[in-house]
Amino acid sequence: MAYTVLARRYRSATFDDLIGQGHVARTLTNAINTNRLAHAFLFTGTRGTGKTSSARILAKCLNCEKSDKPTAHPCGECNSCQAIARGDDIDVIEIDAASNTGVDNVREIIENSQFRPARSRFKVYIIDEVHMLSKNAFNALLKTLEEPPEHVKFILATTEVEKVLPTILSRCQRYDFRNIPTREIAAHLKSVCKQEKIQADDDAILLVAKAGAGSMRDALSLLDRLLSAAGDHLTSGTIEELLGLPRSAQIFDLANAIGVGDVKDVLTRIDALITSGLSAETLATSLVDHLRNLLILRTCGKQSELVEVPGLSLNELDGQAQKFEPVVLSQDIVILEELRRQLRQSTAGRALVDATMVRLALAAQFSTIEELIGEVEASSSNGAAGAAKKKYLVSEEAIGLGPSALLEEPAVPAATDSAEDFSAPQVPSPQPQAPVADEKDELPAVGRVWEGSGPTSIFAAFKNSGPTKPAPRSQQLAEVPVGNIGPVDRSDLSDLLNRFRSAAMESQPTVAGFLDGSRIIAVDGSSITLEYPKNLEMSAKMLDRNGKRESLATVLSALLGEPASIRVSVNESLIETPASKPTPAESDRRPPPARASPPEPQVAMPVNNGMPITEELRIELLQNNPL
């Protein structure tokens, strides 16, 4: 007698035997019991989930000879039930749509459906892989499928329901078959092994069930092949060897090496697995499955039923899971899945595997997106303040005064008792300074510090003319301003805006242009309000983009000596005209307002404005030409 494979021998015979499709069995059973059977059914789902078996069971229920009407529990012993189970019943016609795709084949079905069944209640047409029918064949079947003779039932089965025409779908009752859970497949395989008198370890059964990937037929076919190779005793080691899978302990050790960041150990283990014949894609799949178990244990605990652990101790696996963070595990799974896709198209598979494994092992050295964003925000908020501080220090050094020199009284020679006896001002010569990167190559403006390497010719000319008696050293130190920024009078909004523009042009020249046409209308504590006319509304909007307002706020903070912010408003009733906009020359010629005590001495300007005004010249002019 010919051997019958397990997938056919242990096919479900009743709705009670249907595994993993309880919703379908329950609905069809209730429909039969309440006499609400439709004339056309559509069974859809992946391969091996029980679509054809359910169609045969439904045909048995309709035509069982031991019942005078359709029954939800066919006997399975009458001639009709046995013929349907074998697939050779004259009134239950099974058609493969893949080889009968044309209009002529459908026309034959339509013509034969007009005749009553030979011995049964119903003539049942089971059309498998119905999505293979051509569009014309579908259209030819529409009328008969919608209004068939009362003795005809249609059962359509497909794995690609999206290819079936909507007009066909609307004429059928649709039943979706789901993938069978791994544990239910394992329970059925264990029952089959018991009936076949085969000894199989639970871990081996679980491996076969997982390899079935939700398909009972695939799992039974695989079990049949393994029994032929391994004999009457199945172990997890035998299954892994026959299926070309890595041993669970090897994947466990590989995950351990990744967790501790031992790159050498990771690459060594990868080489051993691939050298033993394991494909790179199978390795990635096995590692993904292992990391998934770790993720479930880490988040749900070891009591969860979602964990499937063949060949490993649950306690050991839970201990390894506690070494990983859930975020890291989920990221590693995504990286490995991307590796699987790349391996199908790349010719450098081994290099991709090694690089990915090193990346997983060194994951702790990579910065997260949040950290990078934080660094960018910190650098953007502190960059302008850092530049202003740097220029401030350069200004102090350029005039020969360090931070300590401002606090300590300079030493006086022992031969004199008063600073009045000095014959010449004791101003230290300036130190050479490296050029600042963002300074323009031009002569400094009035009041700016000359950052050259020594005294200029104009300073020598003025030094030799006029009285030479210097002011006391303490008075010199008190009168020399520190840095490029002097005291700010917040009540003088015009002066504050001019100095704000000047400071912005020095430190943020690319952003300072957005201040043109604006004016300061209010100073509220450490916040100023900039007002723009209606025709410059776009400048006000652009100031709020890409951190421009924050950059100017940093300049304002350096100017005011405390953290400050900027508000922007648009005056709808104000429109700036070109004549009302001050020119740079007029702004430069505008006299500075009077300041509170101590007053800043006014410096007489030399006739030749083309020469630079150094700090040494400023001191000399203050002493010899106070007017």
Side-chain angles (χ1 to χ4, degrees):
M1 185 177 180
Y3 175 74
T4 305
V5 297
L6 298 179
R8 292 180 56 191
R9 196 187 316 170
Y10 293 96
R11 173 175 258 171
S12 301
T14 64
F15 285 130
D16 295 334
D17 298 335
L18 198 60
I19 298 173
Q21 311 299 340
H23 61 293
V24 175
R26 183 170 56 254
T27 304
L28 291 176
T29 299
N30 293 337
I32 293 172
N33 292 334
T34 58
N35 195 24
R36 300 179 64 87
L37 279 170
H39 59 273
F41 302 87
L42 176 66
F43 294 164
T44 175
T46 57
R47 67 186 188 281
T49 53
K51 297 184 297 298
T52 305
S53 297
S54 297
R56 289 186 177 182
I57 294 172
L58 181 58
K60 291 180 185 178
C61 294
L62 294 174
N63 293 332
C64 181
E65 296 178 354
K66 287 190 176 182
S67 176
D68 57 352
K69 62 178 183 179
T71 176
H73 303 282
C75 66
E77 298 175 355
C78 64
N79 293 333
S80 178
C81 289
Q82 291 182 357
I84 292 173
R86 293 191 305 267
D88 56 9
D89 188 78
I90 192 173
D91 293 325
V92 179
I93 302 97
E94 295 190 22
I95 301 172
D96 179 19
S99 56
N100 298 274
T101 61
V103 178
D104 293 338
N105 304 113
V106 173
R107 185 181 295 116
E108 183 179 353
I109 295 175
I110 296 172
E111 292 175 354
N112 292 335
S113 65
Q114 305 301 321
F115 302 103
R116 296 194 63 84
R119 62 177 182 179
S120 304
R121 299 186 193 92
F122 296 97
K123 180 176 286 188
V124 181
Y125 286 94
I126 301 176
I127 306 178
D128 201 8
E129 300 299 332
V130 70
H131 65 274
M132 300 294 289
L133 289 178
S134 65
K135 184 176 181 179
N136 292 333
F138 272 130
N139 292 330
L141 186 61
L142 282 179
K143 186 61 178 177
T144 304
L145 190 64
E146 183 176 9
E147 297 179 359
E150 61 178 9
H151 58 270
V152 173
K153 300 291 183 182
F154 285 99
I155 303 177
L156 314 180
T158 179
T159 56
E160 301 180 33
V161 69
E162 65 276 1
K163 294 183 178 180
V164 180
L165 293 182
T167 51
I168 296 292
L169 296 177
S170 65
R171 289 165 169 78
C172 303
Q173 278 192 1
R174 174 173 170 173
Y175 293 85
D176 290 273
F177 285 69
R178 305 166 184 168
N179 285 347
I180 305 175
T182 302
R183 293 185 181 275
E184 295 188 24
I185 295 178
H188 185 64
L189 293 180
K190 192 172 184 180
S191 174
V192 169
C193 290
K194 185 177 181 180
Q195 296 180 50
E196 293 290 322
K197 298 180 180 180
I198 297 170
Q199 185 179 359
D201 299 341
D202 291 341
D203 291 341
I205 292 295
L206 186 58
L207 281 174
V208 176
K210 290 179 66 176
S215 171
M216 181 64 73
R217 182 174 61 237
D218 289 359
L220 286 171
S221 300
L222 179 60
L223 179 63
D224 219 344
R225 177 164 67 90
L226 294 174
L227 290 176
S228 301
D232 295 337
H233 182 66
L234 293 178
T235 62
S236 59
T238 304
I239 301 298
E240 290 170 344
E241 182 180 357
L242 293 176
L243 296 181
L245 300 175
R247 294 185 178 273
S248 301
Q250 292 176 309
I251 297 298
F252 181 88
D253 294 338
L254 176 60
N256 223 22
I258 292 175
V260 299
D262 191 343
V263 176
K264 180 179 179 181
D265 191 19
V266 169
L267 294 179
T268 302
R269 294 184 182 279
I270 291 296
D271 181 72
L273 288 170
I274 293 180
T275 303
S276 64
L278 187 67
S279 66
E281 189 171 352
T282 303
L283 172 61
T285 303
S286 301
L287 189 55
V288 165
D289 188 61
H290 182 80
L291 294 181
R292 172 193 174 271
N293 288 331
L294 295 183
L295 179 61
I296 293 175
L297 288 172
R298 188 70 172 84
T299 54
C300 303
K302 61 182 179 180
Q303 292 79 17
S304 174
E305 296 182 356
L306 301 175
V307 182
E308 300 166 354
V309 192
L312 289 175
S313 169
L314 187 60
N315 292 329
E316 292 181 357
L317 202 63
D318 182 62
Q320 187 181 70
Q322 302 307 317
K323 300 178 182 178
F324 291 86
E325 292 296 331
V327 175
V328 176
L329 289 172
S330 59
Q331 181 183 10
D332 291 350
I333 291 174
V334 172
I335 293 173
L336 289 171
E337 184 60 28
E338 181 64 25
L339 172 65
R340 287 180 57 190
R341 288 195 291 268
Q342 293 176 353
L343 288 174
R344 300 189 187 105
Q345 304 174 355
S346 175
T347 57
R350 178 62 186 275
L352 284 175
V353 172
D354 290 344
T356 303
M357 295 305 170
V358 171
R359 179 181 177 185
L360 298 184
L362 300 180
Q365 299 183 17
F366 292 96
S367 298
T368 63
I369 295 179
E370 291 77 8
E371 293 174 350
L372 295 177
I373 293 176
E375 293 177 3
V376 171
E377 291 178 349
S379 61
S380 63
S381 61
N382 297 332
K389 182 177 180 181
K390 177 179 179 181
K391 294 176 183 177
Y392 182 81
L393 294 177
V394 168
S395 300
E396 291 178 346
E397 296 169 359
I399 60 175
L401 300 176
S404 60
L406 297 177
L407 301 177
E408 298 178 1
E409 189 71 18
V412 179
T416 60
D417 297 329
S418 172
E420 304 293 337
D421 297 330
F422 284 115
S423 59
Q426 303 295 321
V427 179
S429 60
Q431 299 295 327
Q433 298 294 330
V436 182
D438 57 352
E439 291 290 344
K440 296 182 179 179
D441 186 14
E442 62 183 5
L443 294 176
V446 177
R448 288 289 306 278
V449 176
W450 178 255
E451 298 178 355
S453 59
T456 61
S457 58
I458 191 171
F459 172 72
F462 272 87
K463 181 178 179 181
N464 296 329
S465 63
T468 59
K469 186 176 181 180
R473 179 63 174 171
S474 58
Q475 181 181 349
Q476 296 178 25
L477 294 174
E479 294 176 351
V480 174
V482 179
N484 293 335
I485 300 175
V488 178
D489 185 3
R490 302 190 185 188
S491 62
D492 191 341
L493 302 183
S494 176
D495 177 63
L496 178 59
L497 178 60
N498 291 335
R499 302 192 66 182
F500 183 27
R501 285 176 176 168
S502 300
M505 284 299 298
E506 295 178 14
S507 59
Q508 299 288 340
T510 59
V511 184
F514 289 93
L515 295 176
D516 293 343
S518 66
R519 63 174 181 172
I520 300 177
I521 60 173
V523 178
D524 183 11
S526 60
S527 174
I528 69 168
T529 302
L530 289 176
E531 183 184 70
Y532 287 82
K534 174 62 177 176
N535 58 328
L536 294 181
E537 182 179 2
M538 183 58 65
S539 296
K541 292 181 179 180
M542 293 295 293
L543 190 60
D544 273 332
R545 298 181 182 175
N546 301 326
K548 298 184 184 68
R549 186 153 57 96
E550 289 75 9
S551 300
L552 291 178
T554 305
V555 178
L556 181 63
S557 300
L559 184 65
L560 298 179
E562 60 180 340
S565 60
I566 299 175
R567 301 174 185 170
V568 179
S569 66
V570 178
N571 191 339
E572 299 289 341
S573 61
L574 178 64
I575 298 180
E576 182 188 27
T577 61
S580 63
K581 185 175 180 180
T583 61
E586 293 173 350
S587 177
D588 292 342
R589 290 197 298 267
R590 184 178 301 159
R595 292 187 172 88
S597 178
E600 181 176 354
Q602 300 297 321
V603 180
M605 296 298 299
V607 177
N608 186 5
N609 289 330
M611 297 301 295
I613 305 300
T614 65
E615 193 61 28
E616 297 91 338
L617 177 58
R618 179 183 174 87
I619 298 173
E620 190 68 21
L621 290 175
L622 181 64
Q623 297 170 356
N624 301 334
N625 198 357
L627 297 180

